Amino acid sequence: MVQHRQPAIFIADSLGLDFLNSIATPVDTPLDWLDSGDGLLKWLAQAKLVPADALDELKARAMPGELDKIADQARALREWFRGFVRKHMGQPLTPKALTELAPLNRLLERDEAFSRISRHRHGGGDHLELKAMRRWRSPESLLLPIGEALAKFVCEEDFADVKACEGHACTLVFVDHTRRRARRWCSMAICGNRAKQAAHRSRLKNKH
């Protein structure tokens, strides 16, 4: 598998879709940020889905190869969810899709989440807030915040606004939250710019 040093891609406007974008071809070579247990830990840290101390603790406690197995499960979850999104994107999701989401509900049922009253400092103020917490008992619990992000995406976003980047050979998907739903590219800096340059070359060619 290709070694990756660059940060993961977060352009989807939804963590659930950013998870699908954890395999991509930013330049020419496909990169999979979940290609190993270590890759999964780094992606979860960049996505801010698991506290750093919980990641460190689970890494220290994990048996050899245990985190790699969880990364295998994460990749399987990603490809299952990609199939679901591809099937339904571009049109509103109906409750009929619930039966297809059974694997995700099974994952969510394993959660050990609870709430805790915590102190929250914000902009010079200080108050109490109810904070969602989770027990990180085993490496398998690393899949739970991913499941939650996927579930939030399914329930909170309009699938009619889910789009694939129009860039040639680009595999990235995103939710179009622009006012006129006119977004076409994963990023104007990458695919948008390439398309602009291609159109410019095409115009020059047609002039001659």
Side-chain angles (χ1 to χ4, degrees):
M1 181 54 73
V2 181
Q3 286 299 306
H4 46 78
R5 291 286 171 267
Q6 66 190 78
I9 295 169
F10 294 93
I11 55 87
D13 243 7
S14 161
L15 261 181
L17 287 187
D18 283 323
F19 177 62
L20 293 191
N21 292 338
S22 61
I23 183 167
T25 310
V27 188
D28 300 313
T29 317
L31 296 180
D32 190 342
W33 281 271
L34 311 182
D35 63 353
S36 63
D38 205 41
L40 174 64
L41 294 181
K42 284 180 181 151
W43 187 86
L44 286 166
Q46 287 176 63
K48 297 183 173 63
L49 279 174
V50 182
D53 55 348
L55 289 172
D56 292 342
E57 196 185 322
L58 283 169
K59 190 175 182 177
R61 285 201 330 240
M63 304 287 284
E66 198 176 5
L67 290 170
D68 288 338
K69 279 186 187 148
I70 302 304
D72 287 346
Q73 290 179 39
R75 290 195 301 275
L77 175 66
R78 181 180 65 193
E79 294 322 305
W80 166 79
F81 196 63
R82 186 185 309 284
F84 177 84
V85 170
R86 280 198 174 142
K87 179 179 173 184
H88 295 284
M89 64 192 274
Q91 59 203 11
L93 193 64
T94 69
K96 282 182 191 165
L98 187 58
T99 50
E100 294 170 55
L101 292 165
L104 185 51
N105 270 335
R106 279 199 297 276
L107 172 60
L108 296 170
E109 281 164 16
R110 296 182 351 215
D111 207 344
E112 289 206 51
F114 60 98
S115 297
R116 175 185 282 161
I117 299 168
S118 309
R119 190 172 182 173
H120 180 67
R121 291 184 181 88
H122 182 68
D126 198 357
H127 62 271
L128 298 177
E129 69 168 3
L130 195 60
K131 202 172 176 188
M133 309 290 288
R134 182 176 270 119
R135 291 184 184 86
W136 306 98
R137 291 200 193 278
S138 69
E140 280 207 325
S141 60
L142 292 171
L143 297 174
L144 299 173
I146 295 174
E148 193 172 57
L150 301 185
K152 277 184 180 165
F153 163 68
V154 165
C155 296
E156 294 173 8
E157 296 291 353
D158 185 345
F159 267 57
D161 297 332
V162 177
K163 294 180 177 179
C165 176
E166 291 180 23
H168 174 66
C170 184
T171 59
L172 298 179
V173 286
F174 55 84
V175 185
D176 186 357
H177 286 150
T178 60
R179 193 180 296 169
R180 294 189 180 163
R181 301 296 186 260
R183 183 176 170 185
R184 297 172 60 196
W185 318 108
C186 60
S187 135
M188 274 311 295
I190 305 168
C191 287
N193 208 23
R194 280 185 197 152
K196 228 188 259 178
Q197 287 169 354
H200 181 62
R201 282 196 300 271
S202 173
R203 279 197 299 274
L204 287 178
K205 210 168 159 188
N206 292 337
K207 276 183 185 171
H208 297 305

